[in-house]
Amino acid sequence: MKKILFFIPNLSVGGAEKVLVNLVNNMDKSKFDITVQTLFAGGVNEQFLKKDIKYKYCFKKTFKGNSQILKLFSPKSLYKKFIKEHYDIIVSYLEGSAARIVSGCDDKNTKLVSWIHIEQHDAKNASYAFKNYGEAQKCYQRFDRTICVSEFVKEDFLSLFKISNSVEVLYNTNETHQIIEQAKEKIKDVDFNDDEINICVVGTISKRKGCDRIVSIQKRLIDCNIKSHIYFLGVGSDEEFVKIYAANNGIQDSVTLLGYQTNPYKYISKCDMFICASLAEGFSTAATEALILGVPVVTVNVSGMKEMLGENNEYGIVTENNEDALFEGIKKMIKTDGMLKHYAEKAKERGKFFSTENTVKAVEKMFDSL
């Protein structure tokens, strides 16, 4: 049996945190003895870890300036401080501070895996958790295998770092059966209007995720006499911006903030469309979940979307990454006869590709090959 440690900053509401829980919960426990360790405790996804997953943390809660403070210590000293046991494989399940700490392992009998979730664009972003770019390069080179969540993320990573060891793509794990089952739960707090096009947005409510674009697009849809309603599922720093914009532009009755939901699927499944307006993504968990539920997707072109939806919009609509293009894509989906129904069918077809069984088996095969 292989003893594996997954190391991640926290198990908060983010996509990487969620898919890590999905992955470890579904791995073969007769082959893998699994521990998840976080830098900071208290994330909402901790509660979803199965009982046969060991859980540890370094600090009870996060503290201000932690990334700067951690930089004062070498990766080797941080590793010795936080990771006490021997493991056959240690996985840094997020770029940045987790990768820096795990790279400090000097046990030749331990294989190291770095999991990259987002496109980092430039050396400054890629080395924010390191003392400098040179240290980031040195740390990432220490890993025996680097896993990227999409081809787009892989290309971005390799454009920033010269890595001699294997770099490959493995897609995120979703709880397919659970998603479908939870979608059946009755909704008591929202009345979806069949006379409106109900559109869902899932994830952190921030301008980085495009919340400003989304409310602007909703105003434009209303001005075009398109009856639509935006439902935000999530929390974030720009919730107040969304509320104020909606009120100032008279669309407050067609913009609803549902907050963080442990079961978002019952809401997503009732919507006519899922949209993504992010400035950047890794491989969108939320978009994958929408496909599994048979909900048509319209998204800007960020990492992974063309891999997910096809180079020629076979399974959903991918637009240029700007507000005007996304607005036109949404309007086209709504106004073109039969298009919503067509993409609902194609979404369900594509969703099967990201089944729990397929993605978990691919990861287990990778671990066996180390």
Side-chain angles (χ1 to χ4, degrees), residues 11 16-26 45 48-49:
L11 287 175
E17 293 80 4
K18 185 176 183 180
V19 295
L20 172 57
V21 172
N22 293 342
L23 173 61
V24 297
N25 281 348
N26 286 283
N45 275 299
F48 301 119
L49 286 170

Side-chain angles (χ1 to χ4, degrees), residues 80-193:
K80 287 185 175 180
K81 171 70 175 174
F82 297 132
I83 301 176
K84 306 294 187 183
E85 296 181 42
H86 166 77
Y87 296 92
D88 299 306
I89 302 169
I90 301 180
V91 181
S92 156
Y93 202 73
L94 210 59
E95 55 284 323
S97 58
R100 185 171 185 264
I101 293 168
V102 171
S103 74
C105 175
D106 59 3
D107 187 340
K108 293 181 180 178
N109 294 315
T110 298
K111 297 293 185 182
L112 304 181
V113 177
S114 173
W115 221 288
I116 309 297
H117 286 265
I118 61 169
E119 50 186 302
Q120 298 173 88
H121 300 298
D122 56 49
K124 183 179 178 181
N125 287 329
S127 55
Y128 81 94
F130 301 85
K131 288 185 177 179
N132 49 51
Y133 172 76
E135 185 190 61
Q137 170 66 51
K138 184 178 178 181
C139 288
Y140 282 121
Q141 180 58 41
R142 287 188 51 77
F143 288 89
D144 298 283
R145 191 74 56 89
T146 298
I147 304 300
C148 298
V149 298
S150 72
E151 291 291 346
F152 200 103
V153 168
K154 178 182 174 181
E155 290 173 14
D156 175 79
F157 182 76
L158 289 176
S159 73
L160 297 170
F161 297 106
K162 295 178 181 178
I163 303 297
S164 58
N165 293 320
S166 176
V167 180
E168 62 181 273
V169 173
L170 290 173
Y171 293 124
N172 290 334
T173 297
N174 296 279
E175 290 271 18
T176 311
H177 178 73
Q178 183 179 322
I179 289 168
I180 293 168
E181 285 303 306
Q182 285 188 278
K184 297 174 184 176
E185 184 181 322
K186 289 185 179 180
I187 297 173
K188 298 177 182 179
D189 55 343
V190 177
D191 289 321
F192 287 96
N193 188 342

Side-chain angles (χ1 to χ4, degrees), residues 2 16 21 28 46 55 76 132 159 181 189 195-196 203 210 218 222-224 230 238 249 275 301 316 341 345:
K2 289 188 176 181
V21 172
D28 185 348
E46 287 175 21
Y55 175 67
K76 189 174 181 179
N132 49 51
S159 73
E181 285 303 306
D189 55 343
D195 292 331
E196 295 177 327
Q218 174 62 358
I222 297 297
D223 288 346
C224 289
I230 299 285
D238 288 318
N249 288 275
I275 62 173
N301 187 17
K341 183 180 178 181
E345 292 169 354

Side-chain angles (χ1 to χ4, degrees), residues 344-356:
E345 292 169 354
K346 299 304 288 185
K348 196 168 290 186
E349 178 186 330
R350 185 57 171 162
K352 293 176 182 177
F353 179 82
F354 301 104
S355 71
T356 307

Side-chain angles (χ1 to χ4, degrees), residues 12 43 68 121 123 136 147 196 209 211 217 236 302 309 316 352:
S12 65
Q68 298 303 315
H121 300 298
I147 304 300
E196 295 177 327
K209 292 289 187 178
C211 69
I217 285 170
V302 285
L309 301 174
K352 293 176 182 177

Side-chain angles (χ1 to χ4, degrees), residues 312-328:
N312 298 300
N313 293 338
E314 291 91 339
Y315 301 102
I317 293 180
V318 182
T319 74
E320 291 181 16
N321 198 339
N322 62 68
E323 182 188 315
D324 289 342
L326 182 59
F327 168 70
E328 292 299 332

Side-chain angles (χ1 to χ4, degrees), residues 257-368:
L257 281 71
L258 293 170
Y260 172 75
Q261 300 286 336
T262 55
N263 177 11
Y265 313 117
K266 61 182 178 181
Y267 301 99
I268 298 169
S269 64
K270 303 299 186 295
C271 287
D272 302 292
M273 190 188 308
F274 169 96
I275 62 173
C276 172
S278 295
L279 301 183
E281 286 284 342
F283 193 84
S284 174
T285 302
T288 310
E289 291 169 343
L291 293 178
I292 291 167
L293 292 170
V295 177
V297 174
V298 183
T299 175
V300 292
N301 187 17
V302 285
S303 170
M305 289 305 190
K306 287 196 173 182
E307 287 171 64
M308 192 186 301
L309 301 174
E311 287 292 331
N312 298 300
N313 293 338
E314 291 91 339
Y315 301 102
I317 293 180
V318 182
T319 74
E320 291 181 16
N321 198 339
N322 62 68
E323 182 188 315
D324 289 342
L326 182 59
F327 168 70
E328 292 299 332
I330 292 168
K331 189 169 74 167
K332 180 180 179 181
M333 178 77 86
I334 295 170
K335 300 285 281 184
T336 305
D337 286 345
M339 188 171 280
L340 273 170
K341 183 180 178 181
H342 168 76
Y343 276 115
E345 292 169 354
K346 299 304 288 185
K348 196 168 290 186
E349 178 186 330
R350 185 57 171 162
K352 293 176 182 177
F353 179 82
F354 301 104
S355 71
T356 307
E357 184 181 11
N358 288 343
T359 54
V360 172
K361 278 186 176 179
V363 172
E364 291 180 340
K365 185 178 178 181
M366 180 274 293
F367 285 140
D368 286 335

